[in-house]
Amino acid sequence: MQTTRQGAFFARLLFYWARAFVEQLPAGGDYETLRPTVCIGLLAHDDTRYPRGHTRIGLTRDGSAERQTALLDLHVVNLPRLLQEKASGGLPPADEQVLRWAEFLLAKSQDEADAIAAGDPAMEKANETLKELFDDEDARMLARSREIGLRMYRHDMAESRQEGAEEGREEGREEGREEGREEGSAALREAVLDVCGALGIVVGPARRDWLD
């Protein structure tokens, strides 16, 4: 789920797909056992790179629109565009359920999520799973620390861009931009680790890998 525009959004989506796909196969496993892997990117903001409410991305061959495999199946849901399509009457019937899931995941309260999920077995199961996750104190703390870290990261990046611009005028634009990127990345990592330490969260090797 993405709430702000991110230049590397598609690379991130593809990375998550690749990780899930690879984890299916144990060492020495048979490639024929690999199953289709679906990765869904939900945009809570209007990203003009995805002008349709629901964009499906797969592998095709040059000069052909035919999908070459079902193993890779990426979906980008641009919620603002999806809502526009619904309001204009142009929402395909198949995307009605996509919209319902998007509204469920972006519900502003538990009561709203319960109301949207009611009557749909798959959505009710997802709702119960999310409730269990939210009841996990460590998971809540980790999510909160990540949110704080991202806010600090955006602040530090804004400052880094300003410093980079000033240095760029004096020493060359490219050098200033590179320093800004490096400082911003280091600031994000340190901010998240500091917040985790303040909250008493132990950031083990697995969580450090996730943070990287």
Side-chain angles (χ1 to χ4, degrees):
M1 184 182 297
Q2 193 72 41
T3 57
T4 58
R5 193 181 193 282
Q6 185 184 72
F9 167 73
F10 184 75
R12 178 184 173 192
L13 186 68
L14 189 59
F15 172 79
Y16 288 156
W17 172 87
R19 184 168 62 183
F21 183 70
V22 169
E23 287 177 351
Q24 295 184 65
L25 198 65
D30 190 340
Y31 291 116
E32 293 183 357
T33 65
L34 288 169
R35 308 299 299 168
T37 299
V38 179
C39 190
I40 302 171
L42 178 61
L43 301 175
H45 66 290
D46 186 7
D47 190 329
T48 55
R49 293 172 297 180
Y50 304 95
R52 296 171 53 193
H54 177 201
T55 300
R56 186 177 184 185
I57 302 168
L59 288 177
T60 60
R61 185 182 304 168
D62 286 350
S64 172
E66 181 182 355
R67 293 171 63 87
Q68 297 301 299
T69 178
L71 292 175
L72 185 149
D73 197 3
L74 306 179
H75 297 257
V76 178
V77 178
N78 184 332
L79 183 57
R81 295 293 177 103
L82 207 62
L83 292 171
Q84 290 176 11
E85 292 172 6
K86 181 179 180 180
S88 65
L91 185 66
D95 283 344
E96 287 285 352
Q97 187 70 353
V98 174
L99 177 59
R100 187 178 176 188
W101 272 101
E103 291 174 334
F104 165 72
L105 293 171
L106 294 172
K108 294 181 174 59
S109 68
Q110 187 58 58
D111 288 342
E112 182 181 352
D114 291 343
I116 296 172
D120 186 312
M123 201 171 291
E124 287 178 344
K125 182 177 181 179
N127 196 26
E128 290 303 316
T129 301
L130 288 173
K131 286 179 182 178
E132 292 175 5
L133 178 62
F134 294 151
D135 286 340
D136 185 321
E137 185 174 354
D138 286 343
R140 289 203 314 272
M141 289 293 190
L142 187 60
R144 179 58 178 164
S145 68
R146 183 174 186 271
E147 178 184 355
I148 294 172
L150 287 173
R151 289 180 179 177
M152 295 177 69
Y153 167 70
R154 286 193 289 268
H155 174 73
D156 289 337
M157 282 297 290
E159 289 187 347
S160 296
R161 283 194 294 268
Q162 180 62 31
E163 292 173 1
E166 293 174 358
E167 293 174 4
R169 283 191 290 270
E170 296 174 1
E171 303 175 8
R173 291 184 179 276
E174 187 57 36
E175 180 182 352
R177 288 172 181 163
E178 183 62 29
E179 290 180 2
R181 284 193 292 269
E182 292 176 357
E183 292 173 5
S185 298
L188 170 61
R189 180 179 176 81
E190 292 304 316
V192 174
L193 291 175
D194 287 346
V195 172
C196 288
L199 294 174
I201 298 174
V202 177
V203 183
R207 284 180 174 172
R208 284 180 182 272
D209 290 343
W210 173 81
L211 177 61
D212 291 336

